Amino acid sequence: MPRNARRRSSTDLYHVIARGINKEPIFKQKREKNNFIRLLLKHLKDRDIEIYAYVIMSTHFHILIRVDLKLLSSYLAIVLAEFAEYYNFKHNRNGHVFQDRFKSECVETPQYFWNCIRYIHMNPVNANVVKAPLNYTFSSLKEYETGKSQIIHPKAIDFYKSEFTDFKEFLAFHTKTQRQIFLDIPEEVEIQLIKAALNLLGQEAYLNGFESPQEIIESIEMRRRYKEKLQKELKISKAKTERLYRHVKSCIIGK
């Protein structure tokens, strides 16, 4: 079957992700992460590309990038191909290293831009790799802290300084709750949905003056409203809403 054409962003901003084949930890070792970062930097030269955020996890990576759509494909094609060659030689293996082609989503608004940066930097925390985002070495947050861009574009530093008073405020922004769902590997998307659903349940309980979120679930009318809001805010199907509700219910009352 022919592949679906990538959607073009009106801003040329894209959130990009690729994962290892069969969920393999292709960035398990520090030198593998460092090699991938070197390749990102190597092929940035002489290309009209701006990177605003990145994180290299053990099984996948995220990049927030501004680039023409055609150039995006050629840039990542050469980076991923060179890393695959390095990885196969290093581990004495053959075959694909990355699962399918990379995935991308358009970043069209300033709000989504900043929330996407936060989500990328918080990936290691959400995956329980570190307790605080600054404790993770292989992300762009360190570059924002020092104000010295290596992989990220100098414009990224300028944008952050125009939006936030200082780095302390920018770091505090990373701890705020968000309900947007971002492109990620399926397991992480599911975690995002569950967290967002639980957060919404707690908010609904507070707004209605209930002592416990359990009271929302126990009320036929309130849980109907909750499901409607869940489906609308998370932009998911009715069937997905029901599955998510059952998971939330089991978290709250254990049934």
Side-chain angles (χ1 to χ4, degrees):
M1 292 180 61
R3 290 177 172 177
N4 293 329
R6 294 191 188 278
R7 192 162 67 88
R8 182 179 295 275
S9 168
S10 63
T11 63
D12 282 339
L13 279 164
Y14 300 92
H15 173 206
V16 175
I17 175 177
R19 73 182 301 180
I21 191 76
N22 298 325
K23 305 179 184 179
E24 289 181 14
I26 57 174
F27 303 113
K28 187 175 182 179
Q29 298 176 347
K30 287 184 178 180
R31 63 179 184 272
E32 290 166 345
K33 294 184 179 76
N34 283 326
N35 179 271
F36 189 73
I37 288 174
R38 282 195 294 270
L39 290 174
L40 289 176
L41 184 59
K42 171 186 174 183
H43 294 291
L44 277 178
K45 296 177 181 178
D46 303 320
R47 285 182 168 88
D48 187 16
I49 296 173
E50 300 170 2
I51 290 179
Y52 287 86
Y54 67 87
V55 66
I56 317 298
M57 303 294 287
S58 62
T59 60
H60 65 287
F61 67 82
H62 293 264
I63 300 175
L64 177 57
I65 186 170
R66 173 176 278 155
V67 60
D68 178 78
L69 186 56
K70 289 184 179 179
L71 183 54
L72 171 64
S73 294
S74 62
Y75 170 65
L76 282 179
I78 193 169
V79 169
L80 299 188
E82 286 196 20
F83 181 82
E85 183 180 9
Y86 154 82
Y87 185 83
N88 280 338
F89 176 80
K90 180 173 180 286
H91 293 278
N92 192 28
R93 69 187 292 278
N94 294 302
H96 295 291
V97 172
F98 291 93
Q99 181 174 304
D100 303 319
R101 61 176 182 165
F102 68 88
K103 297 179 181 179
S104 63
E105 64 179 350
C106 300
V107 179
E108 305 280 7
T109 66
Q111 180 187 28
Y112 202 79
F113 173 83
W114 290 112
N115 285 343
C116 189
I117 287 180
R118 170 171 59 188
Y119 180 72
I120 289 173
H121 289 159
M122 291 298 290
N123 232 244
V125 177
N126 294 332
N128 295 315
V129 176
V130 293
K131 291 185 178 180
L134 263 181
N135 293 343
Y136 194 72
T137 304
F138 301 98
S139 89
S140 50
L141 189 57
K142 287 285 186 182
E143 295 185 41
Y144 280 100
E145 180 189 27
T146 62
K148 297 178 181 178
S149 59
Q150 179 191 11
I151 300 298
I152 63 173
H153 197 275
K155 285 183 183 178
I157 305 296
D158 294 337
F159 284 172
Y160 127 73
K161 288 184 176 180
S162 67
E163 186 73 15
F164 299 90
T165 304
D166 51 25
F167 181 75
K168 183 178 180 180
E169 183 183 5
F170 183 51
L171 191 60
F173 163 75
H174 284 71
T175 64
K176 291 183 178 179
T177 301
Q178 62 185 33
R179 285 207 289 269
Q180 284 181 310
I181 306 302
F182 292 91
L183 179 70
D184 209 324
I185 57 177
E187 303 93 302
E188 293 295 332
V189 170
E190 192 65 22
I191 290 172
Q192 289 184 67
L193 287 168
I194 292 168
K195 285 184 176 180
L198 286 168
N199 176 261
L200 180 60
L201 184 68
Q203 177 182 290
E204 288 298 294
Y206 174 78
L207 292 176
N208 286 278
F210 294 149
E211 293 184 1
S212 167
Q214 187 169 335
E215 294 180 68
I216 297 286
I217 293 173
E218 291 171 344
S219 165
I220 295 175
E221 178 61 22
M222 290 306 301
R223 69 172 175 262
R224 181 187 65 78
R225 292 181 189 177
Y226 169 66
K227 289 179 185 179
E228 288 177 353
K229 187 170 287 190
L230 199 61
Q231 183 177 356
K232 182 179 179 181
E233 292 204 10
L234 298 186
K235 298 179 175 63
I236 55 179
S237 68
K238 190 172 183 178
K240 180 65 177 177
T241 301
E242 285 296 330
R243 289 196 298 271
L244 188 57
Y245 167 74
R246 288 196 295 271
H247 192 105
V248 167
K249 180 183 176 184
S250 68
C251 290
I252 297 299
I253 62 178
K255 295 181 182 179

